[in-house]
Amino acid sequence: MFMKRNIILFLVILCGFVLQTTLFQALSFGGISPNILIIITVSYGFMYGKKYGMVVGFLCGLLMDIFYGNVLGFYALVYLYIGAANGVFHSIFFQEDIKLPLVLILVSDFAYLFTCYVLLFLLRGRFDFLFYLKHTIFPEIVYTIFVTVFIYPCILVLNRTMDDVERGDHRVV
Amino acid sequence: MSPVVKRKRDKFSIPSKYLLLILTCVCVALMAVTFLTDYSAMPLNKLVGYVVVPFQSGVSRIGTWMSVRTDELGELRIILEENQELKQQIAELTVQNTQLQQDKYELNNLRELYKLDEQYSGYEKVGARIIARDSGNWFHAFIINKGTDDGLAVDMNVIAGGGLVGRIVDIGSNWAKVNAVINDDSNVSGMVLASSDILMVTGSLQLMEEGTIGFEQLIDSQNTVKVGDKVVTSNISDKYLPSILIGYISEINQDSNNITKSGKITPAVDFEHLEEVLVILKMKQQIED
């Protein structure tokens, strides 16, 4: 059972990454595409707690590092902490509530983008924060939140089904 | 833990703070390894190449197929009209071509005389298709569908439509990551073709919005460089082959130090609609031998 859940988790991350780099790049508005991996990391973080959030974040980040990062481990570290931070909210998570996920994804995406700006741009002397806020950070957050409304229910349904199957198995055994 | 969502205990029973510590150490170690050594994640590159790249090329192939079909239906009428115009153009061009061939014959003779055979038209090239773009919005690198199996290597130059696109910075067996010259972390040593002045072509996210690349450190004491001048890769660059067209100067400003100039270049390549690129198999380092 545990195995099955992990395989599905791996497939979700893979699908998210492939869609983000292909389909959503084609659907980008003004060169801005949504951040699917952060939706996955945050969702798993508060649905299953810190440990899952960390592992999912680490895997998502590592995938980005291998393909697009200049330094291996950078995105992995950022996503790792985002996943862990969202795990804290596991205790106040209710499946019916969509406000919490939206707020958490918004805050996490902003934290992620701000970290990227500071470490990848500010340290190289690109000081015009307002420009980057207006042209990259803000559009990406808006687009990501918009996409969350469609993707989050899918993740929720998937996990609920997994839970049901798991509980059913339990009863039989 | 909340009483509402009570889950089965996870199988791995390390406390989460230790897991966080361990994973953080792994990340820091990976960063240290990439900074301190030349190790370029080759085994990982190979692994993900087999897992992810087939999906990416599949999805992008379906996407291309669909957009091509829609285009075909929509543009049939326009194409018929265009066909008429093009036929006329062919006639005109045939006349021009004859003239140009005569010129070329003359040029070849002159070139032989000066032994100028380093034109990039002579390099061996390989075509590749872009299958994925950068997952973030900060940088605009992209992945092409050829890798070490097709004879590519890191630092090979990538061109499209006669202009410089960038160079390969990371590679797997069936994929390669290309860093575009418009990227914020890209610097190319360039040269103004007319006056042979050296300048530094620097990509910037801010200028990318208006479709230009910045340049700086142009020492042009004679004021000979004008708007519209061609900028090509310089012969002192250690990664880029010489005389590949980068773009045309669109703006020149005097720097506040009154010695150097900076400005903007309109790239020769349309980076927004890039689909296929050519990879030059010859590398700068090999040219000497």
Side-chain angles (χ1 to χ4, degrees):
Chain A
M1 209 53 242
F2 194 70
M3 215 39 222
K4 200 177 190 180
R5 181 182 287 270
N6 284 353
I7 290 168
I8 287 181
L9 172 64
F10 182 71
L11 285 180
V12 167
I13 295 176
L14 196 66
C15 282
F17 183 73
V18 168
L19 289 183
Q20 182 167 343
T21 52
T22 52
L23 178 72
F24 284 104
Q25 293 299 325
L27 293 176
S28 64
F29 285 116
I32 298 293
S33 52
N35 196 338
I36 309 295
L37 292 180
I38 210 127
I39 300 179
I40 295 175
T41 306
V42 173
S43 310
Y44 272 89
F46 61 71
M47 277 180 192
Y48 291 104
K50 272 189 205 162
K51 271 187 212 163
Y52 254 98
M54 278 183 236
V55 174
V56 172
F58 182 73
L59 290 178
C60 287
L62 199 63
L63 209 53
M64 269 182 79
D65 275 323
I66 293 168
F67 271 101
Y68 299 104
N70 294 328
V71 183
L72 201 65
F74 172 74
Y75 287 117
L77 195 63
V78 178
Y79 275 86
L80 169 68
Y81 275 94
I82 287 174
N86 280 288
V88 174
F89 296 93
H90 178 51
S91 51
I92 55 163
F93 162 68
F94 293 98
Q95 294 196 333
E96 292 75 23
D97 187 20
I98 191 148
K99 291 191 294 298
L100 177 74
L102 284 181
V103 170
L104 284 182
I105 288 171
L106 191 147
V107 173
S108 303
D109 200 16
F110 180 76
Y112 161 72
L113 290 167
F114 188 71
T115 316
C116 284
Y117 165 72
V118 170
L119 295 179
L120 298 175
F121 279 72
L122 190 68
L123 291 182
R124 289 189 297 126
R126 309 276 205 255
F127 293 115
D128 195 358
F129 177 65
L130 282 181
F131 171 84
Y132 296 107
L133 186 70
K134 230 164 67 189
H135 286 82
T136 308
I137 298 179
F138 189 59
E140 183 182 317
I141 291 176
V142 172
Y143 201 175
T144 305
I145 290 296
F146 176 71
V147 171
T148 305
V149 175
F150 298 98
I151 287 184
Y152 176 73
C154 302
I155 299 178
L156 195 64
V157 167
L158 180 74
N159 288 337
R160 211 180 274 171
T161 327
M162 288 296 300
D163 286 350
D164 286 351
V165 169
E166 215 162 88
R167 234 172 269 140
D169 272 13
H170 235 55
R171 222 172 283 145
V172 171
V173 173
Chain B
M1 285 290 137
S2 93
V4 182
V5 204
K6 195 88 183 174
R7 286 183 198 290
K8 213 172 66 174
R9 241 175 81 85
D10 290 336
K11 215 173 198 175
F12 40 94
S13 53
I14 328 160
S16 57
K17 54 183 172 188
Y18 292 125
L19 185 66
L20 184 65
L21 191 70
I22 292 167
L23 287 179
T24 308
C25 290
V26 170
C27 289
V28 173
L30 283 174
M31 279 192 249
V33 164
T34 32
F35 268 124
L36 300 176
T37 64
D38 284 341
Y39 175 74
S40 64
M42 259 341 249
L44 277 177
N45 282 0
K46 253 199 187 121
L47 181 76
V48 295
Y50 289 117
V51 181
V52 180
V53 169
F55 287 102
Q56 284 180 333
S57 42
V59 173
S60 65
R61 194 170 298 160
I62 293 168
T64 323
W65 185 83
M66 266 161 49
S67 70
V68 165
R69 286 297 161 284
T70 6
D71 286 355
E72 269 178 6
L73 291 172
E75 287 184 1
L76 204 60
R77 184 177 304 193
I78 308 169
I79 285 171
L80 282 173
E81 280 169 25
E82 254 181 26
N83 196 17
Q84 291 286 328
E85 286 173 33
L86 287 176
K87 269 181 189 157
Q88 281 183 344
Q89 268 191 26
I90 287 175
E92 286 166 28
L93 287 174
T94 322
V95 180
Q96 272 187 24
N97 198 14
T98 337
Q99 278 179 346
L100 285 174
Q101 259 168 1
Q102 281 175 351
D103 287 352
K104 196 185 170 191
Y105 176 71
E106 208 177 313
L107 181 71
N108 278 344
N109 281 347
L110 289 172
R111 239 185 230 156
E112 233 169 279
L113 213 59
Y114 285 101
K115 296 224 184 307
L116 284 175
D117 52 356
E118 297 131 329
Q119 280 290 318
Y120 62 92
S121 53
Y123 298 141
E124 203 184 329
K125 293 185 278 287
V126 148
R129 182 184 285 276
I130 296 176
I131 53 167
R133 284 173 198 278
D134 201 331
S135 48
N137 291 317
W138 293 110
F139 298 107
H140 290 252
F142 50 81
I143 305 280
I144 56 175
N145 64 349
K146 299 230 167 122
T148 43
D149 289 353
D150 309 277
L152 306 194
V154 171
D155 284 345
M156 279 182 176
N157 296 179
V158 178
I159 59 171
L164 182 67
V165 171
R167 70 182 170 90
I168 295 177
V169 288
D170 204 356
I171 200 161
S173 52
N174 55 353
W175 62 277
K177 175 185 162 193
V178 178
N179 196 13
V181 288
I182 54 166
N183 227 346
D184 204 285
D185 57 352
S186 145
N187 289 300
V188 187
S189 167
M191 185 174 79
V192 181
L193 194 60
S195 63
S196 299
D197 283 314
I198 301 291
L199 49 81
M200 206 62 178
V201 181
T202 323
S204 149
L205 187 64
Q206 274 181 306
L207 294 179
M208 213 188 285
E209 297 276 320
E210 46 187 271
T212 55
I213 334 173
F215 73 83
E216 50 195 34
Q217 294 170 23
L218 167 69
I219 303 171
D220 172 34
S221 46
Q222 312 289 318
N223 283 323
T224 46
V225 178
K226 296 184 301 292
V227 169
D229 276 357
K230 260 188 197 177
V231 176
V232 296
T233 49
S234 79
N235 29 28
I236 58 167
S237 166
D238 58 348
K239 306 273 183 188
Y240 291 97
L241 298 162
S243 331
I244 301 176
L245 181 64
I246 299 175
Y248 303 89
I249 292 181
S250 60
E251 197 182 309
I252 310 175
N253 300 311
Q254 185 85 42
D255 282 340
S256 51
N257 59 18
N258 263 330
I259 302 168
T260 57
K261 289 178 179 180
S262 59
K264 292 170 190 172
I265 294 171
T266 308
V269 181
D270 180 6
F271 283 96
E272 261 187 49
H273 305 105
L274 216 52
E275 274 182 5
E276 268 146 357
V277 293
L278 291 171
V279 182
I280 300 179
L281 292 178
K282 195 152 194 166
M283 285 200 282
K284 179 88 176 197
Q285 268 84 350
Q286 295 174 344
I287 277 182
E288 282 77 26
D289 47 66

